[in-house]
Each structure stands twice: as structure tokens, then as C-alpha cells.
């Protein structure tokens, strides 16, 4: 759709559509008259890479040791990643300092007698009375999620982590306590 309106010189009902700006040769740029936005989300004005020398060697930072911005993730909780001085979520970055972390255990663990134990108890009860011991077999099944929320810098993000066992909540709380200690530094 870079061509001017071919019907402009014809009948008056075809006098619609955008006009070409003066001085262009018929191909307006994307986003005319505004500048084209960059591709992707979110739009970050600073590059996400460090400046390098031609051989790929990092440029030394004046003043000594560079600040811990980015780099290797310190802890990852669901889709929340804690970096050196920020928290990265799918909705964008938040400052790490002063972040508030919460966790809610929405899982449950059920204990029941498995079906094969009931069948074995009935079969062996007929042959000998020891078949009732099969009813002592129990099986635990954990279902649900652990909800983790973080609030910092006026932003809020929540994620759900599936509970794989009764110990999942303690594992997630260990990660959150580590993230809390990083937030208080």
C-alpha cells in the first residue's frame, strides 16, 4: 500500500485515502508522520548488552568494579527472575531494593487407600485373614499451586507454581527468603 491513490484523478467519489506528503517519492515510511517504534515489548532505551572492543573484549569501566546490573540470575521463582539489582518479570523490570515478597500455599495433600490395595485385600481375605493388612497401604497425592507475588516500584506481579509434593511450599519459601534478603541490601 505504498502507491498513491490510483483513482484520485477520476470521479469525485474516489477522492478518499491518504495524500502523499510533499517532497516524498510515493513511499512514506512506516508510522508516517511519527517515527516508527522499535519492534518488541517493552521499549527500553538502554541496550541490554555491554559495549565491547573489536576483539569481543569487554570495555573496562572507569572507577573500578562495575555495578551488578544484569548478568547471571541469582534466583528464579516461576517466571520471576532476580538479577543483580532488578527483578525481571514478563510484564517488565522492577527495582530489587525494597521489594515486597509474598507466598500463599493453595495446595492440598490427600491420603487415600489405592484401588489395587482394596482389590488385594478382598482377594487375600478369601484365602486367609491376612488380606486385611493390604488396607494399611496409603498413597499421598498433592494437587494445587503456590502463588508468589512481588511488588516493587509501583508494579506488581504474581505467578503460580505447581505443587509437586508436600515439600514444594518449603522449597519456594526458601527461594523467597533468599530474594527477601537480596531486597533488603
Amino acid at each position: 500500500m505504498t502507491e498513491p491513490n490510483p483513482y484520485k484523478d477520476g470521479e469525485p467519489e474516489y477522492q478518499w485515502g491518504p495524500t502523499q506528503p510533499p517532497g516524498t517519492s510515493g513511499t512514506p515510511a512506516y508510522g508516517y508522520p511519527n517515527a516508527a517504534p522499535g519492534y518488541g515489548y517493552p521499549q527500553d532505551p538502554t541496550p541490554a548488552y555491554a559495549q565491547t572492543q573489536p576483539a569481543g573484549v569487554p570495555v573496562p569501566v572507569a572507577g573500578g568494579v562495575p555495578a551488578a546490573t544484569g548478568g547471571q540470575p541469582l534466583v528464579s521463582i516461576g517466571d520471576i527472575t532476580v538479577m543483580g539489582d532488578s527483578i525481571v518479570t514478563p510484564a517488565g523490570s522492577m527495582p530489587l531494593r525494597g521489594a515486597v515478597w509474598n507466598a500463599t500455599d493453595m495446595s492440598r495433600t490427600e491420603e487415600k487407600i489405592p484401588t489395587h490395595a482394596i482389590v488385594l485385600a478382598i482377594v487375600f481375605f478369601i484365602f486367609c485373614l491376612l488380606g486385611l493388612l493390604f488396607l494399611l497401604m496409603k498413597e499421598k497425592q498433592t494437587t494445587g499451586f503456590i502463588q508468589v507475588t512481588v511488588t516493587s516500584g509501583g508494579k506488581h506481579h504474581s505467578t503460580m507454581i505447581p505443587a509437586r509434593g508436600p515439600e514444594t511450599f518449603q522449597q519456594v519459601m526458601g527461594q523467597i527468603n533468599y530474594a527477601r534478603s537480596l531486597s533488603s541490601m
Side-chain angles (χ1 to χ4, degrees):
M1 193 92 190
T2 59
E3 301 175 8
N5 188 354
Y7 303 107
K8 191 154 186 117
D9 298 332
E11 300 175 14
E13 61 265 9
Y14 291 111
Q15 299 289 331
W16 54 270
T19 59
Q20 295 296 325
T24 60
S25 62
T27 58
Y30 173 71
Y32 175 80
N34 299 328
Y39 182 77
Y41 177 83
Q43 299 297 324
D44 191 10
T46 60
Y49 56 88
Q51 183 181 5
T52 58
Q53 294 175 347
V57 179
V59 174
V61 177
V65 180
T69 58
Q72 187 173 4
L74 299 175
V75 67
S76 182
I77 306 167
D79 59 2
I80 302 171
T81 303
V82 178
M83 303 297 270
D85 65 345
S86 64
I87 301 166
V88 180
T89 65
S93 295
M94 301 180 219
L96 178 61
R97 187 174 195 94
V100 178
W101 297 85
N102 290 315
T104 306
D105 188 4
M106 295 188 288
S107 65
R108 65 179 189 178
T109 302
E110 298 174 344
E111 186 175 296
K112 65 176 189 170
I113 301 172
T115 308
H116 65 273
I118 295 172
V119 171
L120 289 173
I122 293 171
V123 169
F124 281 100
F125 178 73
I126 296 172
F127 297 115
C128 61
L129 296 176
L130 295 176
L132 295 177
L133 291 176
F134 284 109
L135 294 178
L136 296 176
M137 292 174 60
K138 302 287 184 193
E139 137 182 304
K140 291 184 179 180
Q141 183 177 13
T142 302
T143 57
F145 294 90
I146 290 42
Q147 181 183 22
V148 177
T149 60
V150 61
T151 304
S152 179
K155 294 182 181 177
H156 177 82
H157 183 73
S158 176
T159 186
M160 304 288 273
I161 299 169
R164 306 216 184 275
E167 71 283 347
T168 305
F169 185 66
Q170 285 79 19
Q171 293 170 351
V172 170
M173 282 306 296
Q175 292 177 321
I176 289 176
N177 287 334
Y178 178 60
R180 285 177 179 160
S181 70
L182 293 172
S183 297
S184 65
M185 291 182 172

